[in-house]
Amino acid sequence: MRKKTYAMRYVAGQPVEQIFPPGSMLHLGQALPPGAPLTPDAHLKILVWNIFKQQRADWMSVLQGFGKDAHLVLLQEAQTTPELIQFATSNYLAADQVPAFVLPQHPSGVMTLASAHPVYCCPLREREPLLRLAKSALVTAYPLPTGEMLMVVNIHAVNFSLGIDVYSKQLGPIGEQILHHKGPVIMAGDFNAWSRQRIHALYRFAREMALKEVRFTDDHRRKAFGRPLDFVFYRDMNVNKASVLVTRASDHNPLLVEFNAAR
């Protein structure tokens, strides 16, 4: 029997909350009433990083140095250690994690830290066909000062699979959410797009969703077989700045992107 998919929500001073996938999508009214917006103005800063389960030194100093003033932090391979939870709840209003698989002590998976409470949260999991380990994704939505809803997709794509059937299958439910959403979208994470087939499938998906790719002029993204693994895609926003931070605090380099949420 497949394990149930859920997200764990961490908020300072509140008990940890388990959140199951909503009964319907955001556009069908499955959202909470909007609270304070994600950002007070049109400026929006995000950090995207596969944090390698916090196995290397200095991961905290990178988060403290570059994550604190970000409105969104999208982590992959985030282990819910006390140190990470403390950072998340001290600096953000909400942190949502989808446990992909449970390690001896702390679950690991994608985690989205946000400066506003999400009005929508849809956790997703897909099993690696060869290793039988799961990879996770998380779709959340946040109010913007423009009155629009920003849809945020944090993804860690399946890695070990023959062909692209499972890879495309993981993107399917995400595509359904993006297609029906009227408003800005950010989709980012570790896409494991290390083969020609995978990168073609990813770019085809982005075209179908009307998503643009963030370009990095000084591109130090982690690569496999000559292809970058981490991407940021967006819709209905403008990119002000984009950079890649070179660090040894993980086996991936963090991506920093500043958007203007006003079209």
Side-chain angles (χ1 to χ4, degrees), residues 22-140:
S24 63
M25 288 188 276
L26 176 63
H27 72 287
L28 295 173
Q30 279 292 113
L32 299 169
L38 190 61
T39 167
D41 51 33
H43 177 76
L44 177 69
K45 185 175 180 182
I46 74 164
L47 171 70
V48 181
W49 191 22
N50 183 322
I51 201 170
F52 196 47
K53 304 183 186 75
Q54 299 104 279
Q55 290 182 67
R56 292 192 182 170
D58 294 335
W59 64 268
M60 179 61 86
S61 61
V62 171
L63 272 187
Q64 287 177 330
F66 295 91
K68 263 187 176 173
D69 61 342
H71 302 98
L72 286 167
V73 175
L74 276 60
L75 301 175
Q76 300 83 47
E77 291 194 31
Q79 245 193 105
T80 50
T81 58
E83 296 83 4
L84 181 57
I85 299 305
Q86 171 66 25
F87 170 83
T89 54
S90 300
N91 294 287
Y92 291 89
L93 276 183
D96 293 289
Q97 190 227 28
V98 185
F101 60 97
V102 179
L103 296 161
Q105 275 187 299
H106 308 292
S108 169
V110 298
M111 178 185 271
T112 300
L113 286 53
S115 59
H117 289 288
V119 298
Y120 177 82
C121 179
C122 182
L124 299 162
R125 285 165 85 247
E126 189 61 54
R127 195 168 292 284
E128 297 262 17
L130 299 180
L131 297 185
R132 308 306 295 161
L133 297 172
K135 289 288 194 288
S136 59
L138 178 63
V139 181
T140 46

Side-chain angles (χ1 to χ4, degrees), residues 188-237:
D190 176 358
F191 288 86
N192 276 315
W194 42 259
S195 72
R196 189 169 51 85
Q197 279 183 305
R198 282 170 171 248
I199 198 79
H200 284 177
L202 178 58
Y203 281 153
R204 184 168 61 248
F205 176 84
R207 281 195 307 273
E208 289 168 357
M209 301 299 127
L211 297 171
K212 298 177 184 174
E213 180 188 354
V214 173
R215 302 285 182 179
F216 300 92
T217 45
D218 204 7
D219 195 347
H220 294 286
R221 286 178 292 173
R222 163 79 191 278
K223 291 182 178 176
F225 306 108
R227 296 177 178 87
L229 301 176
D230 307 298
F231 292 84
V232 180
F233 295 95
Y234 67 100
R235 186 179 82 190
D236 292 347
M237 289 190 294

